[in-house]
Amino acid sequence: MISKPTLEEVAASELRNRILTGQIPSGTRLVESFWSEEFGISRHSIRAAFQRLSDTGLANRSSYVGWSVAEFHEADLREIAEVRAALEGFAAGLAAKRKDRPDSALKTALEHLGQAIAANQDIDEADHAFHIAIVEASGNSRLIAQHRSISDQLAFAIRTANLTGDPKSQLQQQHAHMLELVLNGKAAPAERAFREHALAVLERKSS
Ligand SMILES: [Zn+2]
């Protein structure tokens, strides 16, 4: 049985969407009274929702300011990109070597990205989903769990990368090429391609 999401889960997920789409900018104070009224839920529930955001790295609590949306500075984005390169690069290598790899799920993820780019809608989400599919194709449950634990921060990093990165028209081709390496079992080139893809955001910043 699938249980109904609690009020705090609904509030946390709505806040997460607004943070990840930039509607609530990083560093914004999260005022309990405002958001409990906005969502029509108790202070207790809204605090629990803030705590959920904090658990995934999207919000912070300080004794002076109270709750606020996490700020991702250049050093944070570097750290996230490096962790992403390590996890997703390694996962791509494992996926390339795997005999019972779920190829159709990977092709579907690429198709969805293509559709999002064509419609110019939800591109970052589709990009993120493509990378999740690659990590899942590694078949390593612990690697998948590690990747999932920083999923929100990765989503934030992907959004930043796509804001400053190559034109959207090139995204499809880049990802198609990366996937081809995996599907053709080219482990080392696949690992390198996914690492470079994750780290590209840093090179753009420093150049
Ligand atoms: Zn990508």
Side-chain angles (χ1 to χ4, degrees):
M1 196 183 100
I2 298 167
S3 54
K4 251 180 90 179
T6 62
L7 293 173
E8 69 181 62
E9 280 167 353
V10 173
S13 132
E14 181 56 33
L15 285 168
R16 179 183 300 114
N17 282 339
R18 294 192 198 182
I19 291 168
L20 291 178
T21 54
Q23 290 173 63
I24 308 176
S26 62
T28 303
R29 265 190 73 195
L30 291 167
V31 181
E32 271 176 35
S33 56
F34 175 83
W35 288 106
S36 70
E37 206 165 299
E38 173 86 1
F39 292 123
I41 64 178
S42 71
R43 293 274 196 114
H44 175 80
S45 294
I46 202 69
R47 272 197 297 273
F50 291 168
Q51 183 60 49
R52 276 169 185 272
L53 296 174
S54 162
D55 292 343
T56 62
L58 285 187
N60 294 316
R61 187 186 184 181
S62 91
S63 41
Y64 300 108
V65 202
W67 293 97
S68 58
V69 177
E71 283 185 82
F72 291 93
H73 299 290
E74 210 165 324
D76 301 298
L77 291 173
R78 168 174 296 278
E79 285 191 8
I80 295 168
E82 287 169 352
V83 173
R84 196 183 161 211
L87 294 178
E88 294 182 4
F90 193 69
L94 285 179
K97 282 184 251 179
R98 203 173 145 201
K99 292 208 166 54
D100 56 346
R101 184 181 49 235
D103 284 358
S104 63
L106 293 172
K107 287 177 191 162
T108 305
L110 181 67
E111 254 174 60
H112 286 163
L113 178 60
Q115 287 159 0
I117 292 167
N120 198 21
Q121 207 179 352
D122 300 332
I123 298 171
D124 301 336
E125 289 81 355
D127 193 343
H128 190 201
F130 171 83
H131 290 276
I132 290 171
I134 290 287
V135 173
E136 287 177 348
S138 75
N140 182 321
S141 63
R142 287 170 174 81
L143 181 58
I144 295 165
Q146 287 295 320
H147 189 257
R148 190 179 297 139
S149 73
I150 54 164
S151 184
D152 283 350
Q153 297 178 56
L154 295 175
F156 196 90
I158 287 171
R159 182 179 149 252
T160 309
N162 286 348
L163 279 175
T164 58
D166 299 325
K168 303 259 186 263
S169 55
Q170 287 181 24
L171 272 182
Q172 167 76 12
Q173 217 185 343
Q174 280 171 10
H175 288 84
H177 174 67
M178 285 152 60
L179 179 57
E180 209 177 281
L181 294 172
V182 171
L183 296 179
N184 290 334
K186 297 200 159 59
E191 179 163 353
R192 203 177 318 123
F194 276 84
R195 283 182 64 89
E196 282 169 6
H197 180 68
L199 294 174
V201 64
L202 303 179
E203 277 150 33
R204 283 197 295 270
K205 287 228 142 149
S206 56
S207 60

